[in-house]
Amino acid sequence: MTTRDMLLRHLKKSGEAWISGEQISAELNVSRAAISKQIKKLRDQGYSIESASKKGYRLELDPDLLLPAEIRENLKNRVFGNKDIHYFEEIDSTNTKAKELAEQGAPEGTLVIAESQTLGRGRRGRQWYSSHGKGIYATIILRPNIPPMGAPRITLMTAVAVAKALLSQANMDIRIKWPNDILVKNKKLVGILTEISTEMDAVNYILVGFGVNVNTPTQDFPPEISGIATSIFVETGKVQSRLKLLQACLEQFETYYNMFKQNEFGTILQQWKILSKTMGSRIVVDVLGQKYTGKILDIDDDGVLILKDDENKIHRIFSGDITLQ
Ligand code: BTN
């Protein structure tokens, strides 16, 4: 364990009590100067540490920041959250940053995380509202050995992983809306943005970005989305640890991605259908302005939506926006 880690452990253990530099240096068997250096390092990393003369140091308890060291603590994963984590207090978009890193060769498992986004992106050029410290804004870089046609499966897989993580942390009646929204009572809780870079007939990299509205109160949502967006806090009335939820998302992601790589997409799709609760539902699908009304017959093995319209015609919808009726 490094001096930094031991120091952090001491500060956490002391809770609200002050701990003097002298005491820490004696217990860790390092100089006072080394302690000051490590305190500065921790502060630079985002920890809020109070200091007062004659008292010593005290850590702000449970600030629920998504700091890399906190994400890694007790995380069961080998890859996601355990490789490079790029952490930002504020960034334009974690997907944009991840793209830049992927272009520079960042490996599979690289995670970009931010406390807030100034230009959070959604599908079809929409914006993703990303207020400071209230949600999870994360992007994972993947380099799967699959043809571009297989990429939509990754979106469905991510929706299952995030849905399972949500269910493990909060009691809510969630449903997945094709292809990638997670809703509660028809309001949006989670959005997933999958972006792909291809070379000839192979995938170069895939960026999986997900945004979760965690502790956002209703009045914080901008007026244009306040009627269609929700958060865990709004639905349960309880403040949720973003850190625990992110760790759960990463663990579920690793489980389902391993299944995906072991050609077990069929099992994932089954889970998706159960969590979606929309098989057989009447919907309107908007495909670039063209609207189709009918029933969802199925989601096939490639993640394509099969719609039976009111004239009993079957449509295969690769991408679009659906509205449940
Ligand atoms: C959608 O519902 O249209 C997708 C929203 C995806 C939002 C997330 S937040 C983290 C990542 N970075 C972005 O800019 N977008 C995704």
Side-chain angles (χ1 to χ4, degrees), residues 243-255:
L243 181 62
K244 280 204 182 119
L245 180 60
L246 175 63
Q247 287 179 316
C249 287
L250 294 171
E251 287 181 358
Q252 292 292 343
F253 193 90
E254 184 144 320
T255 303

Side-chain angles (χ1 to χ4, degrees), residues 93-95 117 120-123 128 138-139 188 191-193 210-211:
S93 149
T94 55
N95 265 47
Q117 298 183 117
R121 296 191 281 115
R123 288 171 66 229
W128 184 259
T139 304
K188 190 149 157 176
I192 298 166
L193 180 66
F210 55 96

Side-chain angles (χ1 to χ4, degrees), residues 79-80 83-84 86 97-111 139-148 150-151 154 157 194-199 202-208 253 257 260-261:
V79 179
F80 301 106
K83 298 255 159 129
D84 286 355
H86 298 258
K97 184 69 195 175
K99 182 172 167 51
E100 191 186 307
L101 293 166
E103 292 290 339
Q104 289 162 5
E108 173 156 288
T110 302
L111 174 67
T139 304
I140 293 172
I141 297 177
L142 300 177
R143 295 191 182 271
N145 189 8
I146 55 168
I154 299 273
M157 185 217 91
T194 314
E195 296 181 299
I196 173 170
S197 155
T198 56
E199 247 169 45
V203 164
N204 185 11
Y205 60 80
I206 297 181
L207 310 173
V208 182
F253 193 90
Y257 189 57
F260 174 83
K261 284 198 296 191

Side-chain angles (χ1 to χ4, degrees), residues 91-96 112 114 117 119-130 136-139 180-182 188 190-195 208-212 321:
I91 197 159
D92 49 357
S93 149
T94 55
N95 265 47
T96 306
V112 182
Q117 298 183 117
L119 286 171
R121 296 191 281 115
R123 288 171 66 229
R124 297 164 179 255
R126 286 187 282 244
Q127 287 183 0
W128 184 259
Y129 173 70
S130 315
I136 293 176
Y137 319 111
T139 304
N180 61 355
D181 292 347
I182 299 181
K188 190 149 157 176
V190 175
I192 298 166
L193 180 66
T194 314
E195 296 181 299
V208 182
F210 55 96
V212 188
D321 273 336

Side-chain angles (χ1 to χ4, degrees), residues 36-297:
S36 308
K37 199 171 136 201
Q38 294 304 323
I39 292 275
K40 180 175 179 318
K41 200 165 157 188
L42 285 171
R43 283 181 175 147
D44 289 346
Q45 287 170 352
Y47 290 94
S48 166
I49 301 169
E50 283 179 274
S51 56
S53 61
K54 302 214 176 83
K55 288 181 174 173
Y57 300 103
R58 190 164 73 165
L59 181 69
E60 186 196 334
L61 288 179
D62 206 13
D64 197 26
L65 294 173
L66 303 177
L67 298 169
E70 300 291 313
I71 295 172
R72 288 197 179 99
E73 203 170 295
N74 302 323
L75 188 75
K76 296 189 192 84
N77 285 358
R78 283 186 51 235
V79 179
F80 301 106
N82 233 335
K83 298 255 159 129
D84 286 355
I85 302 180
H86 298 258
Y87 170 82
F88 301 89
E89 265 278 310
E90 182 179 278
I91 197 159
D92 49 357
S93 149
T94 55
N95 265 47
T96 306
K97 184 69 195 175
K99 182 172 167 51
E100 191 186 307
L101 293 166
E103 292 290 339
Q104 289 162 5
E108 173 156 288
T110 302
L111 174 67
V112 182
I113 191 96
E115 301 290 351
S116 67
Q117 298 183 117
T118 52
L119 286 171
R121 296 191 281 115
R123 288 171 66 229
R124 297 164 179 255
R126 286 187 282 244
Q127 287 183 0
W128 184 259
Y129 173 70
S130 315
S131 63
H132 193 272
K134 297 277 192 242
I136 293 176
Y137 319 111
T139 304
I140 293 172
I141 297 177
L142 300 177
R143 295 191 182 271
N145 189 8
I146 55 168
M149 268 284 289
R153 292 179 166 192
I154 299 273
T155 305
L156 299 192
M157 185 217 91
T158 305
V160 171
V162 176
K164 291 276 180 186
L166 285 168
L167 291 173
S168 75
Q169 302 296 307
N171 185 12
M172 292 177 297
D173 187 14
I174 58 170
R175 76 162 32 170
I176 304 176
K177 192 183 90 171
W178 184 86
N180 61 355
D181 292 347
I182 299 181
L183 311 180
V184 182
K185 298 189 207 124
N186 246 350
K187 290 189 176 177
K188 190 149 157 176
L189 185 73
V190 175
I192 298 166
L193 180 66
T194 314
E195 296 181 299
I196 173 170
S197 155
T198 56
E199 247 169 45
M200 298 293 283
D201 53 359
V203 164
N204 185 11
Y205 60 80
I206 297 181
L207 310 173
V208 182
F210 55 96
V212 188
N213 300 325
V214 183
N215 292 321
T216 326
T218 313
Q219 66 272 18
D220 276 19
F221 286 117
E224 61 278 16
I225 60 164
S226 66
I228 52 169
T230 192
S231 70
I232 301 180
F233 175 72
V234 170
E235 296 304 324
T236 64
K238 288 185 201 141
V239 172
Q240 167 72 43
S241 158
R242 290 183 310 140
L243 181 62
K244 280 204 182 119
L245 180 60
L246 175 63
Q247 287 179 316
C249 287
L250 294 171
E251 287 181 358
Q252 292 292 343
F253 193 90
E254 184 144 320
T255 303
Y256 281 98
Y257 189 57
N258 284 340
M259 283 170 74
F260 174 83
K261 284 198 296 191
Q262 284 153 17
N263 294 322
E264 289 174 34
F265 183 70
T267 317
I268 301 173
L269 188 58
Q270 254 175 14
Q271 288 295 322
W272 189 96
K273 288 180 188 173
I274 294 169
L275 289 161
S276 145
K277 305 170 194 162
T278 46
M279 295 300 107
S281 300
R282 262 189 83 72
I283 55 161
V284 179
V285 197
D286 185 328
V287 184
L288 300 172
Q290 171 103 27
K291 290 197 165 104
Y292 302 89
T293 307
K295 266 187 184 173
I296 303 184
L297 270 196

